[in-house]
Amino acid sequence: MIYRSTRNNNVEVTSAEAIAQGISVDGGLFIPDEIPAITLDEIKKLSTMKYNERAAYIFAKYLTDFTDEEIRYCTDNAYTDKKFSTENISEISHLFDGTYMLELWHGPTCAFKDMALQILPYLLTTSAKKINCDKKIVILVATSGDTGKAALEGFKDVPGTQIMVFYPEQGVSPMQKRQMTTQEGDNVAVCAIKGNFDDAQNGVKAIFTNDEIKKILDDNGMMFSSANSINWGRLAPQIIYYVSAYATLVADEEIALGDKINVVVPTGNFGNILAAYFAKKMGVPIAKLICASNSNKVLTDFINTGIYDRNRDFYTTISPSMDILISSNLERLLYLLTGKDDAKIREWFGKLSSEGKYEVSDDIKTLLKEDFYGGCCDDEQTKETIKKTYEKYSYTLDTHTAVAVKVYEDYKSATGDETRTIIASTASPYKFSASVLEAIDGKKPEIDEFAMVDRLYEISQYEIPDALASLKDKGIRFSESVESNQMKDFVLKTLGM
Ligand SMILES: *Cc1c(COP(=O)(O)O)cnc(C)c1O
């Protein structure tokens, strides 16, 4: 299978090249030239396999330049109960009749990003080896909280890699800060930035494009790479859990093989829901893809009008991982919907960067609505949904998943569609204890993060994730804080140069 750039059909690379490079030189994203098929018989076969075996089976369709041994090395190291708190890797809970919560947060950092970031380091180092690149890979991450910790846990002690994470000193929650500053591993470093997330991100970009530093790394047998969601190596692992969830529902006799299901995804960068779209196009019987946004509802408007317009107020919400106005993976969807029209993609995304806005053609608007439904809700509605869901079903939602549940309820009342439905549950409520407690108790909790975790346990009776409980006793390893223009010095110092 070959991969092309969404902005230039003449670019042809293998999956190993796509993963090692991360992004195409023309600024486009790598995408497989055709979507491989999976039959109902194959899905049935998957239903008797463990998660790592299901993953290997599906990866084999996408990573055709990898050997079976290479794929098994990646899947077996990533998807084990040493890293995930459940043998099943992801779990399915029943919310109410015909509605299933696909819990993707049983990994080491309690957010769905673990599903991809646990395997990315193995995919990346294997890819580098395959293209005869024996350099040490240095990963730089700017984070507003979740991605940084998930990347640190993924790359921790992976041979041939080194990772550095930069976070805004005042811009992350106390729990997120503690998660990062206590990080274990011999190849990790964490540094606070005196500034906001944009300063951290700009600082990282400046280092990536600094020829002097690149040369120093090259002379020392190293190269930079990135762990964010434009890398195909982060998207492919997400397709697996949708196929896997369908297989599990069949195995549990919740649905019959071939029955259609809907999928609801709380969306920010459009990566998670795009993975569900790939699962559908492979042949998993998925009917509607329901795209749920918070007050930053640029995607809701896009699905409903065909106009993408980022010129709008930015809201800081209680579902911060969805506070995004540029959903970069939408580019891959539009490339597919236009029948690989790279010229159209260049035109629209050129407009997005120059004017902050583009409008797709009528045929694309029609296609969008065939597969997708878009909806949104604000913080008040999110909190109400957490409270209501807790009272009615004794199920404690995190703030992101609550957005998905609310939008799904709206969808059901608007359409009367009773199709069985999977809702992607993207974070453990313990990760956003303050907002979840405020929603359920009706007032802001005035206690520290660990007391909040205890209070949330009283309410939810969910096992407290070890990963969060054990933070209390871990020593702080990284307390350095630098101006954003000193990030480069931090990188060189950490690399011993
Ligand atoms: C990153 C994230 C999302 C958004 O996922 P995208 O793939 O960016 O759409 C939703 N919920 C949580 C908890 C996240 O961390």
Side-chain angles (χ1 to χ4, degrees):
M1 174 174 297
I2 58 163
Y3 287 70
R4 294 187 195 278
S5 163
T6 50
R7 297 194 193 179
N8 182 357
N9 281 336
N10 296 324
V11 173
E12 288 187 6
V13 297
T14 62
S15 73
E17 287 167 329
I19 292 169
Q21 276 186 44
I23 188 165
S24 182
V25 283
D26 46 62
L29 308 186
F30 290 118
I31 185 159
D33 199 34
E34 57 199 278
I35 299 181
I38 189 158
T39 64
L40 291 178
D41 279 346
E42 287 178 282
I43 294 176
K44 193 166 177 205
K45 217 163 79 184
L46 289 184
S47 65
T48 60
M49 295 182 193
K50 291 188 151 139
Y51 192 88
N52 59 326
E53 295 163 342
R54 293 177 181 180
Y57 190 91
I58 297 160
F59 273 132
K61 292 175 181 284
Y62 284 97
L63 313 179
T64 50
D65 51 325
F66 281 51
T67 65
D68 288 345
E69 289 71 34
E70 285 166 340
I71 290 176
R72 286 307 293 247
Y73 164 74
C74 297
T75 54
D76 293 356
N77 274 296
Y79 299 127
T80 79
D81 58 8
K82 286 197 210 78
K83 304 205 166 137
F84 288 79
S85 64
T86 162
E87 214 183 316
N88 294 331
I89 308 303
S90 65
E91 291 288 349
I92 296 179
S93 291
H94 295 214
L95 188 59
F96 43 83
D97 213 24
T99 305
Y100 308 96
M101 305 303 295
L102 176 58
E103 296 175 353
L104 301 168
W105 40 263
H106 295 284
T109 78
C110 309
F112 92 95
K113 296 199 167 61
D114 289 328
M115 300 297 291
L117 278 162
Q118 278 299 310
I119 197 164
L120 180 67
Y122 296 102
L123 294 173
L124 197 54
T125 49
T126 306
S127 297
K129 223 178 270 162
K130 289 181 73 61
I131 60 170
N132 292 320
C133 165
D134 55 5
K135 290 189 183 132
K136 179 173 182 173
I137 297 170
V138 180
I139 305 285
L140 300 185
V141 182
T143 183
S144 57
D146 279 351
T147 303
K149 176 62 183 176
L152 284 163
E153 275 299 317
F155 281 91
K156 159 182 94 175
D157 292 332
V158 173
T161 72
Q162 170 106 30
I163 177 165
M164 282 171 242
V165 169
F166 297 93
Y167 69 92
E169 195 162 38
Q170 307 297 335
V172 300
S173 78
M175 187 64 98
Q176 286 175 321
K177 179 169 177 177
R178 196 180 270 259
Q179 274 190 310
M180 290 189 279
T181 55
T182 58
Q183 178 66 44
E184 290 161 354
D186 291 334
N187 63 339
V188 306
V190 176
C191 182
I193 298 299
K194 296 188 208 310
N196 58 25
F197 171 68
D198 287 331
D199 298 324
Q201 174 132 356
N202 290 336
V204 165
K205 276 193 194 146
I207 297 170
F208 274 142
T209 50
N210 183 316
D211 287 334
E212 188 195 339
I213 305 183
K214 279 204 291 206
K215 168 116 184 24
I216 299 177
L217 259 74
D218 199 40
D219 291 345
N220 288 276
M222 301 181 188
M223 64 181 263
F224 284 129
S225 189
S226 143
N228 63 26
S229 72
I230 50 180
N231 194 320
W232 179 251
R234 263 192 70 181
L235 202 79
Q238 299 184 246
I239 301 169
I240 287 155
Y241 50 73
Y242 290 109
V243 185
S244 172
Y246 189 90
T248 300
L249 288 178
V250 171
D252 293 351
E253 297 182 356
E254 294 289 340
I255 55 173
L257 191 66
D259 283 356
K260 291 236 191 249
I261 53 161
N262 291 329
V263 175
V264 190
V265 186
T267 302
N269 213 11
F270 209 75
N272 202 1
I273 194 165
L274 183 70
Y277 177 82
F278 268 83
K280 174 174 179 170
K281 295 298 155 180
M282 287 179 80
V284 178
I286 293 173
K288 267 288 189 258
L289 296 158
I290 298 163
C291 176
S293 300
N294 63 23
S295 295
N296 297 295
K297 59 185 186 71
V298 64
L299 286 168
T300 313
D301 293 342
F302 178 65
I303 291 167
N304 291 328
T305 66
I307 299 171
Y308 195 100
D309 188 357
R310 63 154 302 190
N311 303 308
R312 58 177 73 213
D313 288 339
F314 175 85
Y315 298 98
T316 301
T317 73
I318 57 172
S319 45
S321 302
M322 294 156 65
D323 291 346
I324 285 180
L325 290 180
I326 298 187
S327 301
S328 39
N329 271 298
L330 195 58
E331 180 165 342
R332 286 190 170 110
L333 176 70
L334 292 176
Y335 179 78
L336 294 173
L337 292 183
T338 56
K340 305 177 190 170
D341 190 343
D342 54 350
K344 267 273 170 297
I345 299 299
R346 283 197 301 274
E347 179 195 322
W348 292 338
F349 285 83
K351 275 194 187 152
L352 182 64
S353 73
S354 63
E355 299 159 33
K357 183 175 169 176
Y358 62 87
E359 178 169 6
V360 296
S361 44
D362 287 346
D363 51 332
I364 301 300
K365 290 180 194 174
T366 309
L367 287 176
L368 263 176
K369 285 204 174 140
E370 270 172 28
D371 284 316
F372 293 90
Y373 170 92
C376 60
C377 81
D378 63 20
D379 278 358
E380 276 319 303
Q381 293 169 313
T382 305
K383 282 191 264 183
E384 266 166 40
T385 304
I386 292 172
K387 188 176 168 65
K388 241 178 51 194
T389 306
Y390 173 68
E391 287 171 352
K392 244 171 127 174
Y393 308 110
S394 304
Y395 191 92
T396 310
L397 297 165
D398 102 284
T399 49
H400 304 75
T401 311
V403 170
V405 170
K406 168 67 178 148
V407 169
Y408 175 55
E409 286 170 355
D410 291 347
Y411 167 80
K412 253 180 111 164
S413 24
T415 61
D417 185 357
E418 291 289 331
T419 306
R420 281 162 197 274
T421 295
I422 288 177
I423 300 178
S425 174
T426 52
S428 158
Y430 284 110
K431 235 187 150 163
F432 300 93
S433 302
S435 302
V436 174
L437 284 178
E438 187 183 339
I440 292 174
D441 285 340
K443 58 177 195 304
K444 274 200 169 35
E446 285 168 3
I447 42 179
D448 78 20
E449 282 287 311
F450 293 102
M452 284 186 215
V453 166
D454 292 339
R455 169 76 190 124
L456 197 52
Y457 176 73
E458 283 170 30
I459 290 178
S460 70
Q461 296 291 311
Y462 292 172
E463 204 177 316
I464 300 174
D466 266 352
L468 296 183
S470 63
L471 288 178
K472 208 173 183 170
D473 308 315
K474 283 193 177 149
I476 303 289
R477 287 186 69 201
F478 303 101
S479 51
E480 201 162 336
S481 168
V482 304
E483 299 288 342
S484 58
N485 61 11
Q486 295 169 341
M487 288 164 62
K488 168 176 133 230
D489 306 321
F490 181 86
V491 170
L492 292 176
K493 187 183 77 183
T494 305
L495 295 174
M497 292 164 191

